[in-house]
Amino acid sequence: MIEQFDAIVVGAGMSGNAAAYTLASQGLKVLQLERGEYPGSKNVQGAIMYANMLEKIIPDFRDDAPLERHLVEQRLWVMDDTSHTGIHYRSDDFNEAKPNRYTIIRAQFDKWFSRKVREAGATVLCETTATELVRDGNGKVIGVRTDRAGGVVFANVVVLAEGVSGLLGTRAGLREMPKPETVALAVKEMHFLPEEVIGQRFGVKGDEGCVIEAVGTISRSMAGLGFLYTNKESISLGIGCLVSDFAATMESPSALLDAMKNHPSIRPLIAGSEVKEYAAHLIPEGGYRAIPQLFGDGWVIVGDAAQLNNAIHREGSNLAMTSGRVAAEAIIKVKSRNGPMTKANLALYKTMLDDSFVIKDLKKYKDMPALLHTNSSNFFDSYPRLMSHAAQNFMRVDGTPKIEKEKNTTAAFINARSRWGLVSDAVRLALAWR
Amino acid sequence: MTIAVTKVRVEDKLYQNRYLVDSGRPHIIVRPHDKPSANLLALTYVCPAKCYELNDKGQVEITADGCMECGTCRILCEKGGDIEWNYPRGGFGVLFKFG
Ligand SMILES: Cc1cc2nc3c(=O)[nH]c(=O)nc-3n(C[C@H](O)[C@H](O)[C@H](O)COP(=O)(O)OP(=O)(O)OC[C@H]3O[C@@H](n4cnc5c(N)ncnc54)[C@H](O)[C@@H]3O)c2cc1C
Ligand code: SF4
């Protein structure tokens, strides 16, 4: 199959589909390769999908995209072994005509997105693993080798949308392998329950949805986050921690997930459910400082492959979609002025991305990953325990004078982490958050 | 009300998943070794599919059939040369129904 394309997109996840769709709908000749049996069969996400970023690509996606529930409530739980302290935000404003966030099921969503890509005119080849980038004598990327017989395909530009564990970019030396401290391993289960039961347990009706993010002792001193997202007839439940922490503690991810399911605050929410899938996936967590070179002669990198993931806000799919779209728009611009796909011309992608929320947000949190990593036992164990202690102390009415209760709480905080430690954590957190 | 969430063995969890195993062509290989490195040993706990196990000679072995292709072992052990990591051939491997 020796054929020349304007662009080859490697991967049919969020970023690849956004890129392929944008390129094809502007009339470019696009080949997209996906190693899975169908788009989505290899992909795992929580999953919250942010409407604005998809709207910029497919404005009327609500007409036929497979959406589960639109979110009206978000809870953040800080957990110790038997309790949780929560912040809940719920607003009827989220019941708007065009809701802002939805839960989705990736296998279904990616199939839909891929159909849109085909309808826009791209050639999509599934069950095809790209194995190597092909370069010319000057090192310019001119195509991709695949695991199909005689499978070399050529293009003016290759869009690497291969996700966090992508092989091509790392093998070709375009980017480094992620390090154990810049990626989290997440495990997830799908718990099925009748629609009405989910509605009752979470206090939502119809298509309304509620999500819970949980931090604290459930990650056993590792830097991690648990989540529980409501779909129409299922609950996505998972937990992720840094790979470096897993390696150091030798915790079993599946046992961690089972323990989280057994937590007294979570157990009643999933009671009686039928589990239909167990999945695992990495999440890039290195943030701004881990972003590799994004473009070169004949190539660009988008999405998780480029570490474009905001772990602090658990946003990834929207950064993936946006980087895919922006890369495609840059390619279209270069092509429209008959420019070759050189490093100098493709630098436009970086310029355009720098100007978007993707890079601006990641820059804002550039110091967070390192802070959470080096301080995980405080942020994910001591502080949650102290918080629970303080809340319980506050709520129990037992004849102890209030002033004494306050002193107890303050003393517990200082004992656990010294006055200086607390101040320094607070200052560092504030600086990183800025 | 007592609500029990029973502990499920990883093997039983994987049983719910769909796989198309490429028989005779494992996508991950552990290089021969006398004594496993710390990271390779950690994988016997940390691999979410429990693909890595110690044999009676104290070496780490892999059975990659239940692998979910998460990439954790690659991140921990490829650079040090403990393992060789590839994706399965197109179409093979884990097939998530939900993801
Ligand atoms: C547990 C979990 C929860 C998450 N929750 C959220 C959330 O709630 N909201 C959110 O916005 N983000 C979330 N994310 C992050 C989000 O899933 C990712 O940021 C997003 O999927 C990245 O998209 P991508 O296109 O870059 O990569 P992917 O979606 O991973 O797609 C990569 C694609 O490339 C294919 N591929 C790879 N290599 C090859 C090859 N050599 N040849 C052919 N095909 C190849 C893969 O099969 C895959 O289809 C979560 C992630 C995880 C793991
Ligand atoms: S890729 Fe993940 S699931 Fe597969 S063997 Fe490695 S650690 Fe285990």
Side-chain angles (χ1 to χ4, degrees):
Chain A
M1 53 177 179
I2 295 182
E3 221 183 318
Q4 178 76 25
F5 292 88
D6 288 322
I8 293 174
V9 178
V10 179
M14 287 291 196
S15 62
N17 283 338
Y21 181 88
T22 308
L23 290 166
S25 55
Q26 291 298 309
L28 270 71
K29 193 175 169 200
V30 178
L31 173 69
Q32 189 181 31
L33 304 173
E34 167 56 49
R35 64 189 193 86
E37 184 186 40
Y38 49 84
S41 61
K42 300 292 184 184
N43 300 341
V44 180
Q45 189 181 331
I48 302 175
M49 197 276 296
Y50 305 90
N52 288 56
M53 291 76 191
L54 181 55
E55 236 166 14
K56 286 219 165 72
I57 301 162
I58 305 181
D60 55 0
F61 75 89
R62 291 183 181 83
D63 293 348
D64 57 358
L67 306 169
E68 292 290 312
R69 289 171 184 268
H70 71 273
L71 300 175
V72 298
E73 180 171 333
Q74 176 151 345
R75 307 179 187 171
L76 172 66
W77 284 2
V78 180
M79 317 188 78
D80 76 352
D81 302 339
T82 53
S83 74
H84 72 264
T85 313
I87 306 169
H88 295 195
Y89 183 72
R90 183 184 177 110
S91 173
D92 196 44
D93 295 348
F94 290 124
N95 279 314
E96 57 217 318
K98 293 188 163 185
N100 175 253
R101 310 187 304 164
Y102 297 89
T103 47
I104 57 166
I105 291 174
R106 275 296 293 274
Q108 292 159 10
F109 184 88
D110 289 8
K111 258 191 214 164
W112 166 84
F113 206 164
S114 179
R115 202 179 73 232
K116 294 284 170 187
V117 171
R118 276 174 230 247
E119 284 167 10
T123 305
V124 182
L125 267 187
C126 288
E127 303 193 315
T128 309
T129 303
T131 52
E132 199 186 342
L133 290 172
V134 180
R135 307 205 204 201
D136 68 11
N138 299 318
K140 179 177 186 295
V141 171
I142 53 167
V144 162
R145 193 177 302 281
T146 75
D147 63 353
R148 295 201 169 212
V152 182
V153 277
F154 295 97
N156 297 329
V157 62
V158 173
V159 179
L160 288 162
E162 52 181 348
V164 58
S165 319
L167 284 169
L168 296 194
T170 48
R171 281 203 182 147
L174 306 184
R175 63 181 176 106
E176 272 182 51
M177 275 262 282
K179 296 186 177 61
E181 57 277 12
T182 61
V183 279
L185 165 63
V187 284
K188 176 192 163 189
E189 285 179 355
M190 289 293 279
H191 288 253
F192 280 76
L193 281 166
E195 206 173 325
E196 320 78 69
V197 175
I198 293 179
Q200 280 159 14
R201 287 186 188 172
F202 290 86
V204 289
K205 59 176 199 309
D207 282 345
E208 291 174 349
C210 165
V211 302
I212 302 175
E213 319 275 1
V215 292
T217 59
I218 49 166
S219 66
R220 298 190 184 152
S221 296
M222 299 186 278
L225 180 87
F227 60 87
L228 202 149
Y229 297 163
T230 54
N231 305 313
K232 259 196 195 99
E233 299 183 312
S234 60
I235 294 169
S236 302
L237 188 151
I239 184 164
C241 302
L242 287 178
V243 168
S244 51
D245 283 353
F246 270 123
T249 57
M250 295 209 190
E251 290 280 358
S252 144
S254 87
L256 203 66
L257 184 61
D258 287 341
M260 175 178 158
K261 289 178 341 199
N262 262 316
H263 190 284
S265 297
I266 290 185
R267 202 167 52 206
L269 295 172
I270 54 166
S273 65
E274 188 191 349
V275 184
K276 293 198 182 172
E277 190 167 83
Y278 170 60
H281 204 278
L282 295 178
I283 307 177
E285 305 237 325
Y288 185 74
R289 298 191 194 282
I291 300 174
Q293 169 76 27
L294 292 172
F295 59 91
D297 278 331
W299 59 271
V300 290
I301 303 188
V302 296
D304 275 9
Q307 290 259 345
L308 300 174
N309 200 304
N310 185 343
I312 307 299
H313 285 259
R314 308 144 342 271
E315 293 174 25
S317 63
N318 52 337
L319 280 69
M321 284 192 273
T322 302
S323 60
R325 171 179 63 80
V326 169
E329 285 171 358
I331 290 167
I332 292 164
K333 275 204 179 130
V334 172
K335 184 175 154 72
S336 71
R337 46 177 202 241
N338 286 323
M341 296 295 161
T342 55
K343 185 171 182 179
N345 283 337
L346 290 171
L348 182 61
Y349 162 45
K350 172 83 173 26
T351 312
M352 288 166 69
L353 200 67
D354 279 346
D355 205 34
S356 72
F357 80 94
V358 173
I359 300 294
K360 286 183 181 160
D361 282 1
L362 290 175
K363 215 175 201 166
K364 175 172 189 301
Y365 295 117
K366 63 183 184 311
D367 295 324
M368 280 300 267
L371 174 62
L372 293 180
H373 176 237
T374 49
N375 250 335
S376 61
S377 72
N378 288 320
F379 287 119
F380 298 93
D381 196 81
S382 312
Y383 295 164
R385 285 187 200 281
L386 288 168
M387 206 152 153
S388 164
H389 176 85
Q392 188 163 133
N393 198 24
F394 180 75
M395 275 186 255
R396 258 187 212 285
V397 177
D398 54 8
T400 315
K402 304 294 180 210
I403 186 88
E404 227 166 273
K405 284 188 175 238
E406 268 172 34
K407 272 188 198 150
N408 279 345
T409 299
T410 316
F413 271 83
I414 292 167
N415 275 346
R417 177 76 182 118
S418 83
R419 217 175 266 276
W420 175 243
L422 279 173
V423 171
S424 111
D425 281 353
V427 169
R428 287 200 290 166
L429 193 66
L431 287 175
W433 202 269
R434 242 188 350 197
Chain B
M1 189 167 59
T2 48
I3 310 153
V5 179
T6 41
K7 252 212 167 125
V8 188
R9 292 188 317 151
V10 177
E11 295 86 323
D12 295 334
K13 291 191 182 195
L14 299 174
Y15 198 68
Q16 296 150 349
N17 295 352
R18 249 187 92 211
Y19 292 95
L20 196 62
V21 176
D22 200 356
S23 318
R25 292 176 72 149
H27 59 285
I28 304 169
I29 293 167
V30 176
R31 294 235 174 82
H33 57 275
D34 294 325
K35 211 172 150 279
S37 70
N39 276 357
L40 187 56
L41 191 64
L43 284 178
T44 60
Y45 300 90
V46 171
C47 165
K50 279 233 172 289
C51 293
Y52 290 85
E53 270 178 328
L54 267 184
N55 66 18
D56 43 19
K57 285 185 226 126
Q59 294 151 346
V60 173
E61 286 177 355
I62 182 167
T63 315
D65 292 1
C67 170
M68 296 183 278
E69 297 160 33
C70 72
T72 302
C73 56
R74 179 179 176 225
I75 300 287
L76 284 173
C77 284
E78 191 183 68
K79 212 172 177 184
D82 296 319
I83 65 170
E84 235 173 87
W85 202 93
N86 274 291
Y87 279 126
R89 272 195 297 161
F92 289 94
V94 71
L95 297 159
F96 292 122
K97 295 166 290 200
F98 308 106

